[in-house]
Amino acid sequence: MARLALLSVSNKTGIIDLARSLVEEFDFDLISSGGTAQALKDAGLPVTKVADYTGSPEILGGRVKTLHPRIHGGILARRDVPEDITDLENNQIRPIDLVVVNLYPFEETIAKPGVTLLEAVEQIDIGGPAMLRASSKNFAHLAVLCDPAQYDEYLQELRQNNGVASLEFRQKAALKGFSHTASYDQAIASYLSEAQQYTFSGTQLQSLRYGENPHQPATWYQTGTTPTGWAAATKLQGKELSYNNLVDLEAARRIIAEFTDTPAATIIKHTNPCGTALGSTISEAYQKAFNADSTSAFGGIVALNRPIDAATASELTKTFLECVVAPSCDAEAQEILAKKSNVRVLTLADLSSGPQDTVKAIAGGFLVQTSDDIIADTSQWQVVTERQPTESELAELLFAWKVCKHVKSNAIVVTSDRTTLGVGAGQMNRVGSVKIALEQAGEKAKGATLASDGFFPFDDSVKTAAAAGITAVVQPGGSLRDKDSIKAANELGLLMVLTGVRHFLH
């Protein structure tokens, strides 16, 4: 008797080609439900509808299609248990050798603007997860596929093993099935919980060489069923990405996402920017960012918000870099970068989209907060000094503020000409960060702008900044002693703007 395959998919990518190979190469009979059956029939393939096979019609508007003993008996039967085989024979149930199922697009549905609860609930699959779990449980006797990317591998298994998928493949496919249902249920639970419960899951992409240090094992996981973010990036060249590479790349992405209208470049070391700049071209932006702190740029992570062209590629090869990421890279630039084969070059078309939440593990649990993705609005800023900003000064203040948002607290950033001159990051007191940033800026601090991620509780930092030549300061305000800092700024002829928004980054 021919083997039996059950095909019931929401995502029909590749299903016709798979079904044709199953029928023509391996003599499978096909049963299918709903739209999948119609698609196979339209392609001229012989298929039996599930309703005809079970003798039970689809009911409740399609909510019940595959929940039937002839389906689940065929999936769950153990071929090496005589009692199971007897049950199949007594109930005229054929054993099912292959289950191909993927689920209703719940995550895609809830991502749409204005989706209602009713619309979301109707995209909660019932029969699909039941078949996935049943067939994954019984991997010893059948194969289950839940991702179109598995189809070719499965067919190769059949071709190489006399028409039978190996146990190793079936077990790996079962794990993917359970991971798929776990991720699916997690998305539903998160949507319905209204913050009473927070769960997350991921599919392993790869084991990393190690974590932050060689003695720490590490693994990279993808969230969701569709690759996004770094899971969707293309690596054009270079070694495998490390744990620290990925952490720094994400820090670089967050900064570069702040700038969309103008070519921008940032260079990251240990999640902090050592140089960030805007330019008339992406090559100019990178050169300005590199020159901001060429010493720290050595071994850095570079993010660009424009495609890599030949001129930029030539500049990138002049120093050792760990990683470079941009929306794309033209052919000539790739040829130039290939001369530095060790540098990891990635393309990620969407550098602006990041996670909605940030999660941090603590003993006995974890903390969740929404990402700090608030967009700076200068119309809401308050000029608190006698001196008012010019249009150019306001643009510089905005640039400095955007960069400062992504520097570890206590954060101080000194800028001029839309370029960082000095960065004070992660110090235990703000005065220390001010001194580091000003020392790094040196003489270039004269006429420059200073941004602080938190308020100044005393006027000492304002006086230190003025003594170094700073002429404009942007900070959130909110201290009981704001008046002292404002008074000092007025006395020293500084411009000071309060944003009303704090950007601590711990």
Side-chain angles (χ1 to χ4, degrees):
M1 181 184 290
R3 287 175 292 175
L4 187 60
L6 168 60
L7 281 57
S8 180
V9 293
S10 176
N11 176 5
K12 295 177 176 55
T13 302
I15 196 64
I16 302 300
D17 291 339
L18 172 65
R20 183 170 285 112
S21 293
L22 293 175
V23 171
E24 296 177 358
E25 283 190 65
F26 302 105
D27 196 31
F28 272 84
D29 288 340
L30 306 179
I31 58 175
S32 189
S33 63
T36 308
Q38 188 62 51
L40 297 176
K41 183 179 179 181
D42 291 344
L45 292 167
V47 59
T48 300
K49 290 185 176 181
V50 165
D52 295 333
Y53 176 72
T54 62
S56 297
E58 295 184 8
I59 62 173
L60 306 182
R63 280 188 166 198
V64 178
K65 291 178 284 194
T66 57
L67 299 171
H68 193 280
R70 292 201 79 192
I71 297 298
H72 285 272
I75 291 174
L76 285 164
R78 295 158 292 186
R79 317 297 165 82
D80 56 355
V81 176
E83 292 82 0
D84 284 9
I85 301 304
T86 299
D87 282 341
L88 294 185
E89 292 171 350
N90 290 341
N91 292 279
Q92 298 181 309
I93 297 174
R94 290 178 63 181
I96 296 175
D97 294 277
L98 172 67
V99 174
V100 184
V101 176
N102 53 57
L103 309 179
Y104 294 167
F106 180 80
E107 289 181 274
E108 291 85 346
T109 298
I110 61 175
K112 295 176 182 177
V115 67
T116 66
L117 177 62
L118 180 60
E119 290 169 333
V121 167
E122 283 306 309
Q123 291 302 318
I124 297 176
D125 205 328
I126 302 300
M131 288 188 291
L132 268 182
R133 290 181 61 83
S135 47
S136 294
K137 175 178 179 174
N138 205 28
F139 69 85
H141 302 284
L142 77 160
V144 57
L145 308 176
C146 62
D147 184 344
Q150 297 173 292
Y151 297 171
D152 285 343
E153 186 180 359
Y154 174 72
L155 293 173
Q156 287 301 317
E157 279 280 318
L158 298 187
R159 291 168 185 142
Q160 294 168 7
N161 297 293
N162 297 317
V164 179
S166 66
L167 178 61
E168 180 184 9
F169 173 85
R170 299 198 306 270
Q171 184 170 346
K172 182 175 71 172
L175 174 60
K176 190 171 182 69
F178 282 124
S179 297
H180 190 37
T181 57
S183 177
Y184 194 77
D185 286 341
Q186 178 265 318
I188 296 168
S190 294
Y191 176 75
L192 296 176
S193 68
E194 296 183 352
Q196 297 302 307
Q197 181 178 10
Y198 190 95
T199 57
F200 59 93
S201 64
T203 303
Q204 180 176 332
L205 281 182
Q206 67 183 73
S207 293
L208 303 172
R209 251 182 96 194
Y210 51 80
E212 286 180 301
N213 299 290
H215 60 275
Q216 295 174 265
T219 307
W220 179 9
Y221 292 89
Q222 170 193 313
T223 56
T225 55
T226 302
T228 59
W230 298 110
T234 300
K235 184 161 70 70
L236 302 181
Q237 67 173 57
K239 297 180 291 185
E240 291 298 319
L241 292 167
S242 71
Y243 179 96
N244 289 334
N245 288 158
L246 288 161
V247 171
D248 283 337
L249 280 166
E250 177 60 13
R253 186 203 62 76
R254 289 194 197 105
I255 291 184
I256 215 67
E258 295 282 352
F259 306 104
T260 56
D261 298 334
T262 305
T266 190
I267 306 173
I268 297 291
K269 287 292 288 290
H270 305 292
T271 72
N272 283 306
C274 55
T276 302
L278 308 183
S280 58
T281 65
I282 196 63
S283 178
E284 181 191 18
Y286 169 72
Q287 290 178 67
K288 289 170 67 177
F290 176 80
N291 292 332
D293 186 354
S294 58
T295 300
S296 297
F298 183 85
I301 306 286
V302 175
L304 311 168
N305 72 345
R306 296 290 187 275
I308 306 173
D309 54 22
T312 309
S314 296
E315 291 299 322
L316 291 167
T317 60
K318 291 180 180 179
T319 192
F320 167 65
L321 298 169
E322 284 280 353
C323 304
V324 177
V325 63
S328 61
C329 181
D330 68 35
E332 188 178 358
Q334 286 189 52
E335 187 175 340
I336 294 169
L337 289 167
K339 297 173 185 176
K340 290 273 192 176
S341 59
N342 284 335
V343 63
R344 302 162 177 88
V345 179
L346 296 91
T347 58
L348 180 57
D350 182 10
L351 283 164
S352 62
S353 297
Q356 293 183 330
D357 297 329
T358 60
V359 182
K360 186 169 291 189
I362 61 171
F366 55 91
L367 307 174
V368 180
Q369 64 173 352
T370 59
S371 295
D372 187 7
D373 54 7
I374 188 171
I375 298 172
D377 181 2
T378 56
S379 69
Q380 301 300 310
W381 290 5
Q382 181 183 8
V383 181
V384 292
T385 50
E386 296 167 1
R387 192 159 76 80
Q388 299 293 303
T390 65
E391 185 176 338
S392 177
E393 284 176 322
L394 189 60
E396 191 69 44
L397 287 162
L398 179 60
F399 171 78
W401 183 243
K402 286 182 174 182
V403 176
C404 192
K405 172 182 175 181
H406 301 282
V407 176
K408 292 286 188 181
S409 296
N410 290 305
I412 297 291
V413 174
V414 175
T415 76
S416 181
D417 188 29
R418 316 306 186 269
T419 306
T420 56
L421 304 177
V423 177
Q427 298 305 300
M428 285 64 73
N429 64 76
R430 197 161 300 280
V431 176
S433 290
V434 169
K435 289 179 179 178
I436 289 172
L438 292 174
E439 181 179 351
Q440 189 179 44
E443 289 299 310
K444 294 180 180 178
K446 289 183 170 59
T449 293
L450 181 146
S452 171
D453 67 340
F455 59 62
F456 295 116
F458 304 103
D459 62 9
D460 49 0
S461 290
V462 176
K463 292 178 178 178
T464 301
I470 295 295
T471 58
V473 173
V474 57
Q475 55 129 328
S479 169
L480 293 174
R481 303 187 62 165
D482 275 347
K483 62 181 184 303
D484 294 343
S485 295
I486 296 169
K487 180 172 181 274
N490 277 323
E491 290 174 349
L492 296 166
L494 270 64
L495 162 68
M496 181 176 285
V497 173
L498 305 185
T499 66
V501 176
R502 191 185 73 185
H503 285 305
F504 281 177
L505 179 61
H506 289 294

